[in-house]
Amino acid sequence: MAYTLLGKDFTPPDIRAKVTGEAKYAEDFRVDGMVFARLLTSPMPHARVRSIDASEALAMHGVIGILTADDVPAKASPQQTILTNEPVFVGDPILAVAAESETIAQDAIDKIKIDFELLPFCVDPLESLYPGGPNARTEGNSVTLNFGQPIPPEVNEKKWTARDFAAVEEGHLPTGEPTVQWEYGDLDTGFEDAALVLEESFVVASNSHHSMEPRSALSYWENGKCHVFGSLQSQSFAMNTLSGLIGIPPEDIVFVAEFCGGGFGSKGNPYPSMVIPAHFSKKINRPVMLRISRAEEYYLGHARSGFQGRTKIGFREDGKVTSIDLYLVQENGSATGFPDINGFSEGASLVYTPEAMRLRGIFVSTNTPPRLAQRGPGQNQMAVTFEPLMDRAAKELSIDRLAIRQINAPTGDALVGAGREPVTSAHPREALAKGAEQFNWVERVKNDGQRNGSKVRSVAVATAFHPAGFNGFDGLVVITPDGKLNVHTGVGNLGTYSYASTSRVAAEVLKYDWENCVIHRGDSRKHLPFNIGQFGSNTSFTMTRTNFVAATDAMDKIKEIAAMDMGGDPEDYDIGEEKVFSISDPTQSMTYAEVAQRAIELGGKYSGIEGPEDINPITKGGLAGIAGTGLVGVAKDKLEKHGLVPAFCAGFIDIELDTETGKYEILDYLGVVDCGTVLHPQSLATQIKGGAVMGFGMAATEKLVYDPQSGLPANVGLYQAKPPSYLDVPSTMGWAAVDEPDPQNPVGAKGVGEPVMGGGAASLICAISNALDGHYFMRNPITPDMIVNAAAGRPQSYKPLQVNNQ
Amino acid sequence: MSRDMMPHFELIQPSDMDNAFEVLERYGEGAWKLAGGQDSYDWFKDRVKRPQAVVDLNGIEELKGIRETPEGVEIGALTTLAEIAESDLITGSFSLLAQAASRVASPQIRNVGTIGGNVCQDARCWYYRAGMDCYRAGGNTCYADTPEGMNREHCIYGADRCVAVSPSDTAPVLVALDASMVIRNSARERIVAAQDFFIGPDVNIERMTVLEPGEILTAIRIPSTWAGSTFYFEKVADRNVWDFPLVNIAAAIKMSGNTIEDIRIACAGVECVPRRLTVVEDVVRGSSRDEETADLAASSAARGAIPLNFNHFKIPLLENLVRRAIRDS
């Protein structure tokens, strides 16, 4: 379908502020009487605070007050606390001090004496599962997340038997009793029928989110309302969580989150440190700014879950996967965590479409940062694990590496996971085919393995997946008497500009000139509808639907008013050039400005005085704020959606690896996506390339490192945690999209933010392995030391299945 | 574990050397000499090092600049790494140093980081940097040299209670070029060979150079002996920007036809000091430059290395870098 606005590049309205520095992030705000808070965080991985002596600190000039765990709502284990007297990781906040300046606050913290009792701790799940092994939390080591359910998470003690450990050879994952499991199909028959069965244990490293904007927050109370300025991927979706964390109703919270300097999943929903200023401000009756430092961001800014796993995969002669048996031990960090196991296992069931599959898994706590979703949570760990196994199978079965992915790739009739959930559309085969053509796969693989001295050329391909859309949220637009279209959007602003590209759907429906549209967002006082946040690659799918239904509602009302004023029925009218006109006599028309004025006069549903019953209370609040200001379009998204919305990325890579140094150069990268209709080519290109860069880090440079003796983290600075630098990535990268509309989205759109990372990560892992003549490390990241050891035929330094190691 | 908060400190900015020495004498061991600040600021912000006074040397003009001398080149200690990387004098005669300087950290850091600071920088052992009470910090243990310690970046030579390495990219170059370090205090000037400037834990576990509290490294002199030689520099780090070397290598070679007439070769990342590979020099000196010589050099490069748990890879990596220095220079 041809669109006027969709699929075209445009300048999102917040770019200028970002480029000029006018954009105000949470820590840029200043308020009269504001004081600064600093955190005292735990130096120990697990401890009990026996006593706190802050007398000397509180006596210092310029110190305003102290906030301890006794001043904030408690959280039941294993939920992450706001402040705690039982820290469960190094860097866990114990208390905060407020002072006239940050330096004074820190000087005061340096004078606080805490008597700690060190408690048992662990940084390796398998160590914790061993009989008698340490528990990361006093209550146990195994978390039941109850994700998405109205019941809180639980933590219990779970130990495997010594026999479980003794029964496997060293280097293989023991498979003791799981806490989650599902199965479909006939697993055994699949393996019996297989021409090739691969069985491997593996390790996937945890890594940090490295959000460029640390999660600073400012709060103050005014006229009974708590004002929160935060760094978040969400806006309206945050209100209920903030309400719970602060302990007041959502309508008593003003939340400002206009800009977010990166979150990658770690700022999806309000997090405990965000409300420390709110509680502190209430206690000392001063506005409180808490700036989180880079090191603190590494402590409490969350991380991706790592895995210790084992899998058995059966392949037919032609490369088709028959059965997958998967065991996952999720390194779940110190708090509730995130169900990466689900993403990993369901991802495998969709990307390789096995006829039978079994998952067994367990979430194990460690005294390391709380885990949260990171771009492709589970799905991208799956990609870096399974894609090299596809290469290995292709090699052993003498099949082209592209072909084995094609034969296993899902189509629109694929089913996902144990629930055998359908998908809305799936075009990874088309992405692979398009990429193969654009990358010139057939010719390039001829260079594969070419040696130039110590350098080896290696070409690889990989696929990655992530779900990409939700439904059921609300849309809200207003045409005001000045003729402007005001799109109110309650989604966050992660930095992808999709808040803007999805708002353009309302303009497209109402045939608006984009210059006459205004987006309202970033502040709960701006009358915003209830929308989900910018996470889970969902915005493009979810928000195009809400803006579509709101704009459609507005269009219906426009035509009704035209019929009222100019005679006939609404169906007799059409819209164009920001007018409604009679189809039979286009000279009979009203401008949108005139219609908006009429809507105000008519009141009722036309001006938003009345609204639908089924919209969310937050949307009702937003609607009440704009009622009477123009012609209002408001509706809940009740459009058809059956099943999971999948997005895919096929990554193609060409590298030259030096076997003497363990270094490589990425000569070329191409990402091809199945994201439905392309909404905004420039931002899609940026997503594909930026996601690949993040993936290269996951593949080759980034991991958490913990000292098992002290529980200390080694990587608490950008130079230690090592996201890729500009000379670690190719100077130019290619991109393309299948551009096949999703039938269950009114404009055919799907999200794609997450698989683009997996495509980059898995393709690089595959290319490195391929360059080493099929040395499959079965762990990531693959760092130069591992490559040098492998190339020299020397053993690796780490112990098998060891995690959080160098 | 509160980090990243700069404390108050007394900042003194002398404009000449006499003034600087006076201040250094006044504060003794409580004084901290500040050059580009790229090492110092981390220590201060993490509040691990708390000097009584910070003496900022950047106002002293005579510490800056690159000068041609009858004996070679003299580089002021406060000359930035970016200036060195781009200097015609250095790129013309001592491109080895220009190459190394251009691989330090990142452009932003090279714009303020100095050659003096680069060679005087402190150990990067992450336990030490985290403020642990290790031997180097005045304590009585080493956290890295244990059966479970995370010691991938640590030494394979010269362990003596401490297993930290020299993290400098320019230090091995200065050793390879047989540079001299000009050191002054209020009373005298002394010249120390680059090779002797750096000290291991066996000499002093709390310092990495011979610089005494009242002394300032004023300049580095590179003799013309090796000007225009055949050079080889390579740095292997996890990242290509803003990273310390896992191992780097610097070689200056005098060729006569295809014969290696003379050579000086050194590396960092394997010992607390830049390690001069004298065995390699002996092996290749007088030999023709070919695969056989390169292989012999490689096989002799890591002799005597004692790896820790996570740094075995430094042996083949060092061997490979030596091979490349002979083969590819």
Side-chain angles (χ1 to χ4, degrees), chain A residues 126-210:
Chain A
L126 287 183
E127 192 193 333
S128 184
L129 285 170
Y130 199 79
N135 290 339
R137 303 191 71 105
T138 314
E139 305 81 9
N141 64 336
S142 169
V143 172
T144 305
L145 276 72
N146 297 325
F147 187 75
Q149 299 175 50
I151 43 174
E154 301 161 40
V155 59
N156 298 291
E157 182 174 277
K158 196 83 178 176
K159 302 293 170 193
W160 288 350
T161 65
R163 192 184 180 90
D164 292 330
F165 284 86
V168 292
E169 290 171 32
E170 195 188 359
H172 287 285
L173 183 80
T175 50
E177 190 189 349
T179 56
V180 289
Q181 52 190 318
W182 53 255
E183 186 173 354
Y184 68 83
D186 185 346
L187 206 65
D188 292 338
T189 302
F191 288 125
E192 282 161 21
D193 294 348
L196 172 71
V197 176
L198 299 178
E199 185 163 10
E200 288 287 348
S201 294
F202 58 86
V203 165
V204 185
S206 295
N207 64 300
S208 300
H209 290 74
H210 317 288

Side-chain angles (χ1 to χ4, degrees), chain A residues 103-126:
Chain A
T103 310
I104 295 173
Q106 185 62 53
D107 290 346
I109 279 175
D110 289 351
K111 294 193 185 304
I112 292 176
K113 299 176 189 77
I114 296 189
D115 182 17
F116 288 105
E117 175 192 353
L118 180 65
L119 298 174
F121 68 93
C122 87
V123 297
D124 186 327
L126 287 183

Side-chain angles (χ1 to χ4, degrees), chain A residues 107 663 709 722-723 806, chain B residues 47 146 152 237-239 324:
Chain A
D107 290 346
K663 298 287 293 180
Q709 311 155 111
K722 304 188 183 185
Q806 289 189 310
Chain B
R47 301 191 166 205
T146 71
R152 172 177 176 263
D238 289 317
R239 300 194 300 177
R324 292 155 83 92

Side-chain angles (χ1 to χ4, degrees), chain B residues 253-275:
Chain B
I253 306 171
K254 283 186 181 164
M255 298 294 297
S256 173
N258 195 38
T259 302
I260 299 170
E261 200 171 77
D262 200 1
I263 179 171
R264 283 177 70 97
I265 183 167
C267 65
V270 300
E271 191 174 352
C272 191
V273 297
R275 180 176 178 81

